[in-house]
Amino acid sequence: MSRHHEWILILDYGSQLTQLIARRLRELNIYCEIHPFNVDLSSFKGHQPNGIILSGGPMSVNDNEAPSFQPEIKEFHVPILGICYGLQLLSHVACPGSVSRGEKREYGRAHLIIDHDDDLLKGIPQDSVVWMSHGDHIEQLDPSFEIIAHTKTAPVAAVRNTSERIYGVQFHPEVAHTEYGKQILSNFALSICGLNGDWTASSFIDEQIEAIQQQVGNDRVLCALSGGVDSTVVATLLHKAIGEQLLCVFVDNGLLRKDEFSQVLKLYTDELHLPVKGVDASELFLTRLEGVGDPEEKRKIIGKTFIDVFEQEVGHLDQFKYLAQGTLYPDVIESVSFKGPSATIKSHHNVGGLPEKMKMSLIEPVRELFKDEVRVVGRALGIPDHFIDRHPFPGPGLGIRVLGELSKEKLTILREADAIFIHALREHDLYDQAWQALAVLLPVQSVGVMGDERTYEYTIALRAVTSTDGMTADWAHLPYSFLAEVSNQIINQVKGVNRVVYDISSKPPATIEWE
């Protein structure tokens, strides 16, 4: 349940674009949450939303298994906006049988012709471009609704019922292809719902400090630092809220990048002044991971070993009531399996609770934030830009970038190749153009020739992507000359590699990491 004084509830009906609705609203400084369409709405009665958005979805409202509309939604008596499937669902509920399969599917750009340029469509120029993606069409509109916009092929492109404050659009305002989509969402949230749009990094920090202090009281918190931005922001926020009641542990698990442990530990102690204990447990981790190839098994071993290290280094864990984690909103969204059209994409190492032996409660101060929002909060907390701007790095580290079985030799090869790639990106002013860049050691060897000798060595895959929050990503179009230079350096300088390839797949369908 949201603690925010104003917010919008987004009900997910299975659209791949639902997260974009949240992103656009967050850009307007409006807090929002995504929940499955069949969420128990009574859970929001204590702190109800100021508006509700029904997302798009892949199914037809006439399908037997189609996600349904909960009548209790109207009991909130707040404005409702239906998008694509959401609009068709509103129409179907108000007038059963009004939605039918059209003669042809409408997909892509269309020109919106506005019939009423006030209210939801205020400030939208006539004949603007919108993005359509639907097969069903509204054949009959309930008399309580009026059409406020159409296209050449869709007589019903936007509707409203002003007495009940219900609105709907057949297109997707959340995508960049809809020219004034953000304005439409702004009209709904700020004008129709009457929100102030005052959810900022500063307000988030103030809210979280108060919430942390109330939750923790006089108890102690243990925070595992991974060396990444997320856990560092969590630790800094907790330290600001509870001071010396916090103990941070930064463990070298043998899976960090080259020289990362010493460099990051120096930042924690000398610049951020965090109460941190640095622990070199690389031998223990690598011994337990030796020969393990299954990625889920790697995660489990890494997680269990972290717990063992904590017990050994911290002493009695029962002196801590809470364990802090850097769980992000995309982790939460992707780890929830919605009944119906949406399904779990993958499991995340930092979502899903604690081992039974750890009798601590979780505290996750940034679980409401997307990755770029965490960075904004980090800057507001005074964390240096050179650290905040670092690319994301997974909790299991290089352990899931060595595909297949792990060994010290493979980790050394990958660590050196990765260092060459990252250094070259910085040297050529390309680092900040990528959202994330990494090297992967593939579990295959191939024939090569070095000098007059035949080689049979490993392949390194380089990956760089552009993104805003990691929910979707495109492969970074790095210059061929740059890739050729990096490939040459890796093959010449890293013993055990004779081939370098570049990953040009996007997310979706691929994920950013390989495991």
Side-chain angles (χ1 to χ4, degrees), residues 67-274:
S68 59
F69 179 86
Q70 295 193 61
E72 294 82 4
I73 290 173
K74 290 188 175 182
E75 294 178 9
F76 286 115
H77 302 292
V78 298
I80 299 171
L81 172 64
I83 295 175
C84 199
Y85 180 91
L87 165 60
Q88 294 167 5
L89 189 60
L90 288 169
S91 178
H92 181 70
V93 169
C95 184
S98 63
V99 179
S100 63
R101 179 69 65 182
E103 292 184 4
K104 55 183 179 180
R105 192 168 183 264
E106 188 173 24
Y107 180 82
R109 289 177 175 84
H111 291 272
L112 187 70
I113 303 167
I114 297 175
D115 302 305
H116 297 279
D117 61 358
D118 59 343
D119 210 12
L120 185 67
L121 302 180
K122 185 177 181 179
I124 311 300
Q126 188 63 262
D127 199 27
S128 65
V129 172
V130 297
W131 188 263
M132 294 283 192
S133 179
H134 64 98
D136 285 359
H137 296 262
I138 297 174
E139 298 288 349
Q140 182 181 353
L141 199 63
D142 186 86
S144 64
F145 286 86
E146 66 174 325
I147 298 171
I148 58 176
H150 65 280
T151 69
K152 289 183 178 179
T153 57
V156 181
V159 304
R160 68 183 175 192
N161 176 336
T162 52
S163 63
E164 294 190 49
R165 295 190 296 171
I166 298 176
Y167 299 80
V169 292
Q170 185 60 76
F171 53 90
H172 288 275
E174 67 271 29
V175 302
H177 301 298
T178 297
E179 289 181 315
Y180 294 91
K182 195 171 178 179
Q183 179 64 44
I184 292 172
L185 292 173
S186 174
N187 289 341
F188 175 73
L190 300 181
S191 299
I192 296 171
C193 297
L195 303 187
N196 295 311
D198 57 3
W199 188 68
T200 62
S202 177
S203 68
F204 174 83
I205 291 170
D206 292 341
E207 288 175 353
Q208 283 300 317
I209 287 176
E210 182 180 353
I212 290 167
Q213 290 171 341
Q214 288 181 359
Q215 180 180 358
V216 173
N218 295 320
D219 293 308
R220 299 196 68 195
V221 178
L222 180 64
C223 180
L225 290 168
S226 68
V229 173
D230 306 333
S231 63
T232 302
V233 169
V234 166
T236 307
L237 187 58
L238 284 164
H239 191 229
K240 195 175 182 68
I242 60 173
E244 296 306 309
Q245 291 170 245
L246 171 70
L247 175 63
C248 301
V249 179
F250 181 36
V251 177
D252 182 357
N253 57 6
L255 305 171
L256 299 175
R257 284 173 158 169
K258 188 175 182 179
D259 300 326
E260 188 166 22
F261 183 69
S262 58
Q263 292 171 358
V264 174
L265 188 60
K266 183 176 175 61
L267 168 79
Y268 289 155
T269 56
D270 297 355
E271 294 189 57
L272 299 180
H273 308 292
L274 294 175

Side-chain angles (χ1 to χ4, degrees), residues 314-427:
V314 177
H316 297 293
L317 288 176
D318 55 12
Q319 64 181 298
F320 297 94
K321 185 175 180 180
Y322 296 97
L323 177 69
Q325 287 191 161
T327 305
L328 299 187
Y329 202 38
D331 297 340
V332 176
I333 295 170
E334 292 187 354
S335 298
V336 174
S337 179
F338 302 114
K339 180 182 177 183
S342 297
T344 299
I345 295 172
K346 64 176 181 177
S347 63
H348 287 264
H349 67 279
N350 58 350
V351 176
L354 293 165
E356 291 182 8
K357 66 187 295 186
M358 294 194 72
K359 298 176 181 178
M360 290 186 281
S361 300
L362 279 179
I363 184 166
E364 301 170 309
V366 297
R367 68 178 285 123
E368 299 174 340
L369 303 183
F370 289 94
K371 186 76 177 188
D372 55 321
E373 293 170 338
V374 173
R375 289 195 171 106
V376 173
V377 169
R379 286 190 174 90
L381 287 168
I383 300 174
D385 285 346
H386 68 81
F387 184 85
I388 288 294
D389 292 333
R390 291 191 345 152
H391 291 172
F393 190 66
L398 300 182
I400 57 169
R401 293 181 180 175
V402 172
L403 304 193
E405 294 187 359
L406 285 173
S407 69
K408 284 186 179 180
E409 177 199 9
K410 291 178 181 178
L411 286 166
T412 298
I413 291 172
L414 177 59
R415 191 172 282 116
E416 292 299 323
D418 179 82
I420 290 171
F421 185 32
I422 299 302
H423 177 75
L425 286 167
R426 293 188 184 278
E427 196 173 49

